[in-house]
Amino acid sequence: MQDDVLSLEDVACARGLHLVLANVTFSVRAGECVVLRGPNGAGKTTLLRTIAGLRQPESGTITVAGDDLIYASHADGVKLAMTVAENLEFWSKIHGGPPIDDALARMELTPLVHRVAQNLSAGQRRHLGLARLLVAGCRLWIMDEPTVWLDQAAVAVFSRIVAAHLARGGSALAATHIGFAPDQRTINVLQFAATGTLRTGFEEPLP
């Protein structure tokens, strides 16, 4: 469809030498939030990393409109030796995004602007990692358990941020156990479960 921000067609993903997902086909439209569900080990993170371009799919096609995406993972993307402001300025410059002041305020980081990231608490570091989404200026947010380490109040703040992103025509794809939007669409990755071992690349010896 013309307004699809992300499209997957018959995508297969592997973890190591083991195929975990196959025939993954779905799309994410402008203004839509899609949530991936499934038990631990089902392949949610593997799929998100594949979509984000951090690993190659074993087969199939992944299309991102304008390659306009940012990925927020468990690792947060935080550079520990840099201050809060330096981290956000770095990501804003990388993506050509907006100034950092709004992201600092919305993620409640303004009082910590000069603090080195390694001296932040786990929750504060998570705030900083998610603030990257705001300074990148990307249309598609791909998020792996974004609310880990956030308290209930911070989850509510972040949910409003996601809702505002969707209202502006942005899109979100997340592996999460909570809801971000009342009309979000849920996909259970177990429907794409695959089993098997990939070729090792070694051929049988000649007789």
Side-chain angles (χ1 to χ4, degrees):
M1 298 292 293
Q2 191 171 7
D3 58 352
D4 285 348
V5 175
L6 169 69
S7 177
L8 286 78
E9 185 173 354
D10 293 328
V11 171
C13 304
R15 186 188 302 119
L17 295 177
H18 297 281
L19 199 66
V20 292
L21 298 173
N23 303 314
V24 181
T25 300
F26 68 87
S27 62
V28 181
R29 306 181 72 182
E32 184 179 33
C33 177
V34 174
V35 170
L36 301 181
R37 295 278 169 82
N40 291 339
K44 300 185 299 296
T45 294
T46 298
L47 179 57
L48 292 179
R49 287 175 59 83
T50 302
I51 294 171
L54 299 178
R55 62 170 69 217
Q56 291 295 316
E58 297 302 317
S59 61
T61 303
I62 300 173
T63 304
V64 180
D67 291 330
D68 190 11
L69 67 81
I70 186 169
Y71 175 52
S73 69
H74 295 294
D76 292 324
V78 171
K79 298 184 180 299
L80 297 180
M82 297 169 64
T83 66
V84 168
E86 289 169 342
N87 266 280
L88 294 183
E89 287 168 352
F90 171 81
W91 286 106
S92 178
K93 290 177 182 177
I94 287 290
H95 289 278
I100 69 172
D101 291 345
D102 181 63
L104 288 168
R106 293 171 72 185
M107 291 305 298
E108 303 176 340
L109 290 168
T110 302
L112 305 172
V113 64
H114 298 302
R115 186 170 299 181
V116 176
Q118 65 184 0
N119 296 327
L120 298 174
S121 69
Q124 291 167 342
R125 197 174 298 171
R126 194 59 166 162
H127 280 234
L128 177 56
L130 294 174
R132 292 172 52 236
L133 299 170
L134 295 171
V135 300
C138 294
R139 188 178 182 191
L140 173 60
W141 292 359
I142 298 178
M143 303 174 286
D144 194 357
E145 297 293 352
T147 59
V148 171
W149 302 113
L150 297 184
D151 60 26
Q152 188 172 0
V155 169
V157 168
F158 185 63
S159 294
R160 289 194 292 271
I161 288 173
V162 173
H165 176 66
L166 300 177
R168 292 191 298 269
S171 303
L173 173 65
T176 179
H177 297 291
I178 72 163
F180 288 130
D183 57 348
Q184 70 185 25
R185 180 159 55 94
T186 300
I187 295 175
N188 191 327
V189 298
L190 287 179
Q191 67 183 295
F192 305 119
T195 58
T197 302
L198 303 175
R199 291 187 301 109
T200 63
F202 294 97
E203 301 295 335
E204 292 294 328
L206 294 173

